[in-house]
Amino acid sequence: MIGKFITFEGPDGSGKTTCALGVYDRMSKEGYDVIYTREPGGIEIAEQIRNIILDPKNTMMDARCEALLYAASRRQHLVEKVLPALAKGQIVLCDRFVDSSLAYQGVGRHLGIDEVWAINQFAIEDHMPDFTIYLNVDPQIGLNRIDKRDYKDRLDQESLQFHQDTYDGYQQVVAKFKDRMIVVDANQDAQKVIDDAYQIIKEHLNV
C-alpha cells in the first residue's frame, strides 16, 4: 500500500490544528492507518528547534536565521517521521509544511518566495504533499482568535501588517501550487471546517 502525505496550511488563527486533529480523530475511528504530526516539531530534535523559533524572548532572531531553522526542523521531521510512515503505507496528516515557510518567511519576512523555496528544496529533496488543505481565514478574524489564547508565541505577537503580508503570501502560494492546494473556508464554525476537510480528503483517497 502506498502512503499519502496530506498537509494542512493557513494563517495563524485559521484553525489548522483543530481541523487536522478533528480529521485525524474521525479517520482513526473509521479504521484508517493514519498519524497526526506537526511542524515545526513532531519529533524530539524538531521540537527543540520549535522552542527556539517560537520563544517570545527571541525577539532578535534574524529573518534568514528563522527561515533556516524552519528548514532544519523540517528536514529532521521528514526523514525521521514522515518518510518512514509513508513507507509503511500510512496516511500522514501534517499541521504545516513547506508552504508555511513560503508564506511566512518568503512574503511575511520579505525574503522572497523563490529564495525560501531554494532553502527548502535542499531540506526536503522534492518530497512534497500529495495534496494540501488550505484553511482560508480573514486576517482580522484570525487575529481575533489569537487574542483569546492564554499564551501567544513569538509569531502570534507580530504586527497586523506581518499577518496581512503572510495572508497575501498564502494567496501567492495557492496560485503557484493550484493543482495541489484545496481551499476551505475557515471563517466558518470549527466543526463545519472539519467536516469540509474530511469530505475532501475522503474523496481524494477514494480516487
Side-chain angles (χ1 to χ4, degrees):
M1 179 180 175
I2 301 174
K4 288 289 183 181
F5 185 22
I6 304 166
T7 57
F8 292 77
E9 290 285 354
D12 288 303
S14 60
K16 292 177 313 305
T17 302
T18 299
C19 182
L21 286 172
V23 171
Y24 165 75
D25 183 60
R26 193 163 172 181
M27 293 183 72
S28 295
K29 290 176 179 176
E30 292 185 1
Y32 285 93
D33 188 4
V34 60
I35 67 168
Y36 164 82
T37 190
R38 71 174 184 176
E39 282 202 354
I43 45 95
E44 185 177 352
I45 293 174
E47 287 289 342
Q48 292 179 40
I49 297 173
R50 177 191 180 92
N51 291 337
I52 295 171
I53 295 172
L54 298 182
D55 190 333
K57 297 193 298 292
N58 292 334
T59 56
M60 294 299 292
M61 186 177 294
D62 174 75
R64 288 174 183 265
C65 176
E66 181 181 275
L68 289 165
L69 285 173
Y70 273 112
S73 173
R74 179 163 299 125
R75 173 65 184 180
Q76 190 65 33
H77 176 245
L78 181 70
V79 299
E80 189 174 339
K81 189 168 189 177
V82 176
L83 294 182
L86 294 175
K88 291 188 290 187
Q90 293 181 300
I91 298 169
V92 178
L93 304 180
C94 188
D95 183 344
R96 294 198 183 281
F97 194 58
V98 68
D99 299 312
S100 287
S101 287
L102 301 182
Y104 279 81
Q105 284 73 52
V107 180
R109 298 294 191 205
H110 308 292
L111 295 179
I113 285 181
D114 291 341
E115 287 76 7
V116 175
W117 176 247
I119 292 170
N120 281 276
Q121 275 299 295
F122 177 77
I124 67 175
E125 296 180 294
D126 292 324
H127 292 291
M128 290 293 285
D130 290 289
F131 60 94
T132 298
I133 302 294
Y134 171 63
L135 303 182
N136 192 44
V137 67
D138 179 270
Q140 189 58 60
I141 292 176
L143 286 177
N144 290 342
R145 292 172 178 172
I146 292 171
D147 284 340
K148 296 176 182 178
R149 296 175 181 171
D150 294 330
Y151 173 79
K152 297 180 180 62
D153 64 38
R154 190 171 63 87
L155 294 186
D156 289 339
Q157 297 177 17
E158 286 286 354
S159 67
L160 175 60
Q161 186 60 56
F162 172 79
H163 289 286
Q164 181 63 60
D165 288 345
T166 298
Y167 176 81
D168 293 342
Y170 266 120
Q171 305 315 301
Q172 295 177 43
V173 172
V174 170
K176 182 179 179 69
F177 298 106
K178 56 182 179 296
D179 293 336
R180 173 172 58 83
M181 308 285 284
I182 304 167
V183 180
V184 172
D185 181 4
N187 297 307
Q188 307 175 93
D189 171 81
Q191 189 56 55
K192 181 64 167 65
V193 176
I194 293 171
D195 290 344
D196 287 353
Y198 169 81
Q199 290 300 328
I200 289 168
I201 290 171
K202 285 292 292 289
E203 289 170 7
H204 278 71
L205 290 178
N206 290 331
V207 171

